Amino acid sequence: MRVLLTGSAVPPVPDGAWPAGKTSSPPAGPTLDDVAGWWSPHAEVETVALAASGPAFLEAVAPVAPEVLAGVVPGPDGGDVPVAVHRRTPGDDATVGRRTVYADASQVPATGAGEVLEVDARPVAVPARSSTAVGHLLALAADAARGPGGAPGRVVLATGGSTSHDAGLGALLALAGAPERDGGPPTALPADVVRAARAALGGTDLVAAVAADVPLLGLHGASATLDARGVDPAVAQHLERTLGAVAHAVASAVDRVAADDTDRGGALAGRDLLAASTAGRRLAGLPGAGSGGGLAHTVVALGGRLVPALRVVADDLGLDALLAGADVVVVLADELGAHELGDGTVHEVASRAAQHALPVVVVARAVVAGRREQAAAGLSGAYAWGDGDPRALVERVARTWSRG
């Protein structure tokens, strides 16, 4: 019997790590290797790691992109920040002749100057939040992805761990070679900035691997989620207004670029002028545009695509082919609840396993989803170790689900 094991017992980190220092250490839990070792006496076990953001994202793609390239990007106060990207060579890439480079936005800190807001007659500090360093990381990754003769490659940027919160404006300016802004949000952005930033990528197929489908603005936007993470509501509202101003400026610039491209296209017949004039207006509302404090918003403005990070990793690792050879799928999780069933690894794996009519079993620290929700998600079983011994639970579940 062959078991395919995936997942993680580490609680998922909220999309967008701003502000720095507000996260707590996750509780210790078993690793995939631990669970594989406990299950292996009962069946053949193959593990595949899936991750949406942070260092775990690069570790997950390492089996198909083992080449590690090191570099530096400018960080706060002009100092160099070391970074690393993983590269998939053309011989290993599913896309013939094209290199893929994977980068993680959490490697670089937010830059720029902080602010002090007056909230209820008291000062509240708002830390630096510019994505300038991410722009330099993107330039480095695009260069590393180029093939012989300068052929553009593919860059996959995991945005969820970004510590910036500026709708990606800093990254856009950095790619365009424009200076980092000081002070308030822009009232206007030249179309030439968007053109220069796109030109710097040289036709790179840019993908934002988003950890959540959060939009840029609104009640469920990037700033709205900060209230639940200890950020003063007045600060969150200030950030919302700032992101809104950036979104307006970027949208106008993208629309001007689209209109200019339309004008250069020749005759008016057959062209959708309305679509050309509203291309930028749709950016902020795209699901995932708010990922990484809005970093994904600029990826789209640059001509890139937004794709759920777990989907990107699963596709590039060939998860469907691995599922085709399995008899049962086991997903390790911290808590089986709304996140795992909506956006998490359990959802991604179970939806794919259903195409192969495979049973999916979840072992987790806690199970809060009811049997109806589990059944709707396509799960065949869910087990929690709670305050008990995870090894004892895994061994018991392995005996239940293994033949022989």
Side-chain angles (χ1 to χ4, degrees):
M1 183 178 189
R2 185 166 173 266
V3 173
L4 184 64
L5 170 66
T6 187
S8 172
V10 177
V13 177
D15 189 299
W18 188 93
K22 292 282 186 175
T23 57
S24 57
S25 299
T31 65
L32 284 179
D33 288 342
D34 291 333
V35 175
W38 300 334
W39 200 296
S40 59
H42 308 279
E44 178 187 350
V45 180
E46 182 174 7
T47 62
V48 56
L50 297 177
S53 62
F57 174 83
L58 295 182
E59 293 172 4
V61 299
V64 294
E67 186 180 7
V68 180
L69 305 176
V72 295
V73 301
D77 303 321
D80 287 339
V81 176
V83 295
V85 299
H86 281 244
R87 184 163 67 185
R88 187 172 187 173
T89 61
D92 298 328
D93 205 319
T95 304
V96 176
R98 184 174 64 171
R99 292 174 174 172
T100 293
V101 169
Y102 302 89
D104 166 36
S106 74
Q107 294 183 89
V108 295
T111 62
E115 293 182 79
V116 177
L117 303 181
E118 289 293 328
V119 178
D120 297 331
R122 59 185 174 85
V124 177
V126 183
R129 58 188 186 278
S130 172
S131 59
T132 297
V134 183
H136 292 288
L137 175 62
L138 276 176
L140 184 152
D143 185 61
R146 290 191 180 96
R154 172 175 174 252
V155 170
V156 178
L157 175 70
T159 57
S162 173
T163 57
S164 62
H165 199 93
D166 67 343
L169 177 62
L172 186 67
L173 295 174
L175 282 167
E180 186 170 353
R181 287 186 56 87
D182 292 323
T187 56
L189 187 70
D192 284 344
V193 169
V194 174
R195 290 193 189 92
R198 290 179 176 179
L201 294 175
T204 298
D205 178 14
L206 182 58
V207 177
V210 300
D213 62 359
V214 57
L216 182 64
L217 305 170
L219 294 176
H220 303 288
S223 299
T225 62
L226 297 176
D227 282 359
R229 293 159 58 185
V231 177
D232 192 297
V235 173
Q237 292 172 11
H238 169 72
L239 295 172
E240 172 78 0
R241 290 191 294 271
T242 301
L243 295 192
V246 173
H248 176 76
V250 171
S252 297
V254 169
D255 284 344
R256 290 196 299 275
V257 171
D260 290 346
D261 290 346
T262 298
D263 290 341
R264 287 193 291 268
L268 296 178
R271 286 191 279 118
D272 188 345
L273 298 183
L274 180 62
S277 66
T278 59
R281 309 296 170 183
R282 297 191 294 264
L283 301 185
L286 291 174
S291 179
L295 179 59
H297 166 259
T298 277
V299 169
V300 183
L302 290 168
R305 296 173 288 129
L306 307 183
V307 184
L310 291 173
R311 183 188 302 169
V312 173
V313 177
D315 284 346
D316 286 14
L317 291 177
L319 181 61
D320 291 325
L322 296 174
L323 288 169
D327 297 302
V328 64
V329 183
V330 179
V331 184
L332 175 65
D334 171 62
E335 178 181 275
L336 180 61
H339 169 76
E340 282 294 347
L341 294 180
D343 299 314
T345 304
V346 171
H347 170 78
E348 183 66 32
V349 173
S351 61
R352 291 171 181 259
Q355 305 301 314
H356 302 273
L358 287 173
V360 178
V361 177
V362 177
V363 289
R365 176 188 57 82
V367 174
V368 297
R371 291 187 180 276
R372 182 174 298 178
E373 291 83 4
Q374 294 175 32
L379 305 185
S380 299
Y383 307 86
W385 64 79
D387 295 328
D389 180 8
R391 176 171 184 166
L393 173 76
V394 169
E395 291 178 341
R396 176 170 61 83
V397 175
R399 289 191 295 270
T400 301
W401 284 92
S402 299
R403 295 192 298 266

